[in-house]
Amino acid sequence: MKFVRFGEPGAERPGILDRNGAIRDLSGRVDDLAGAVLADLSALSGIDPESLPVVPGTPRLGPCVGQVGKLLCIGLNYSDHAAETGMEAPAEPILFLKANSAICGPNDPIILPRGSQKTDWEVELAAVIGRGGKYIAEEDALDHVAGYCICNDVSERSFQLERLGQWTKGKSSDNFGPLGPWLVTRDEVADPQNLKLWCKVNGETMQDGTTATMIFGVAHLVHYLSQFFTLHPGDVISTGTPPGVGMGKKPQRFLKAGDVVELGVEGLGTQRQQVIADPAG
Ligand code: ZN
């Protein structure tokens, strides 16, 4: 099943794609794709999308998960990406948090924060936690995943790396966390460690990788993170990016207003973002 959230920011409603890819309104069945609903998506498996009302037009898509408790991001998790940044491949997962306020819809604009010179793209496979847990065994870990979506881990490199402290402020600007377009249930993703993923800027391919080169796979990440804190339904783990980010180009390339970023993960749809100056000035 492919779930969406559609409507204006903060007022999104749940939907499901029918077999033609049209959005059907799920709001008569569940309030949101969040919390307890994610913990047992199988409860929705009996619903025939064709029996639900068609959503007219082409509404804005919101983030495909509501009420995200934690947006957990893994740094340097592709052997080939670690190499391009000149950093050593990590011995255990590098965890950082992206502020939940950065989360936005898959096609919402990328907003360049004031003073940004080095805003960069990162296509990533994100796993959405369904059933929560703590100290989860690696062999049970994927049973705790409700589904998958795309995350663009948008990053301001000078805020991330050239200012004091750790990475959070370079990762958390408004709209730096597009999630979607769809939450694709786990049963539709045969092997999360064998998915192509790509990113283009103004039509030029920048990233063209595969989750097969991840250092720590999804199952290990769920297990690993749950050793430190409880994972809750609706927590999102963005699993790192393959090579081809702007910071790794020679010469380096970063986003400017007017650029268009498109990204996709095999089976999970695509995102498209226009880059804009911060309307707040
Ligand atoms: Zn990342």
Side-chain angles (χ1 to χ4, degrees):
M1 291 178 288
K2 294 183 175 71
F3 294 104
V4 297
R5 296 171 71 252
F6 63 94
E8 293 308 302
E12 291 93 349
R13 292 159 67 177
I16 187 169
L17 296 193
D18 69 19
R19 70 171 73 92
N20 298 315
I23 301 173
R24 302 283 180 143
D25 190 340
L26 198 55
S27 59
R29 304 295 186 96
V30 293
D31 290 338
D32 200 358
L33 294 161
V37 171
L38 295 171
D40 187 17
L41 279 180
S42 64
L44 302 180
S45 62
I47 294 177
D48 176 10
E50 322 290 326
S51 70
L52 301 171
V54 176
V55 176
T58 50
R60 167 188 174 270
L61 295 181
C64 59
V65 190
Q67 299 168 36
V68 175
K70 298 188 277 294
L71 179 44
L72 302 152
C73 298
I74 308 300
L76 301 175
N77 195 30
Y78 283 73
S79 50
D80 34 7
H81 171 59
E84 79 171 340
T85 63
M87 296 189 226
E88 215 166 299
E92 61 182 303
I94 293 177
L95 170 67
F96 63 92
L97 282 151
K98 187 186 274 277
N100 291 355
S101 52
I103 294 171
C104 65
N107 305 314
D108 290 348
I110 291 173
I111 301 171
L112 298 174
R114 183 185 294 180
S116 168
Q117 300 291 329
K118 297 186 176 179
T119 294
D120 203 346
W121 53 86
E122 293 192 354
V123 61
E124 305 198 358
L125 169 68
V128 177
I129 296 298
R131 186 158 52 86
K134 195 176 188 183
Y135 310 132
I136 297 167
E138 186 159 342
E139 57 266 32
D140 301 331
L142 292 184
D143 293 339
H144 292 262
V145 173
Y148 298 94
C149 67
I150 304 168
C151 177
N152 187 357
D153 178 19
V154 183
S155 306
E156 215 296 337
R157 302 301 185 192
S158 63
F159 297 177
Q160 178 191 352
L161 300 169
E162 298 166 21
R163 306 290 288 270
L164 291 179
Q166 37 93 314
W167 293 359
T168 304
K169 57 186 179 279
K171 295 285 192 173
S172 296
S173 294
D174 297 352
N175 285 32
F176 270 24
L179 294 180
W182 313 318
L183 170 61
V184 179
T185 50
R186 187 163 56 90
D187 57 293
E188 291 197 11
V189 179
D191 181 1
Q193 304 314 137
N194 188 26
L195 301 174
K196 292 181 171 47
L197 67 177
W198 54 270
C199 180
K200 295 179 181 181
V201 178
N202 300 332
E204 181 184 343
T205 297
M206 297 295 179
Q207 296 185 275
D208 184 14
T210 164
T211 60
T213 63
M214 263 189 209
I215 298 170
F216 305 106
V218 174
H220 184 73
L221 292 173
V222 170
H223 155 74
Y224 177 86
L225 296 174
S226 78
Q227 306 308 306
F228 302 101
F229 39 72
T230 300
L231 292 171
H232 296 280
D235 286 348
V236 175
I237 303 169
S238 200
T239 59
T241 201
V245 299
M247 177 175 63
K249 302 277 182 204
K250 294 185 179 59
Q252 293 185 329
R253 275 183 68 168
F254 298 107
L255 296 171
K256 57 188 186 312
D259 286 346
V260 173
V261 180
E262 296 166 283
L263 54 153
V265 177
E266 188 178 357
L268 304 185
T270 59
Q271 299 185 347
R272 183 182 192 278
Q273 294 121 15
Q274 174 108 38
V275 181
I276 63 169
D278 192 337

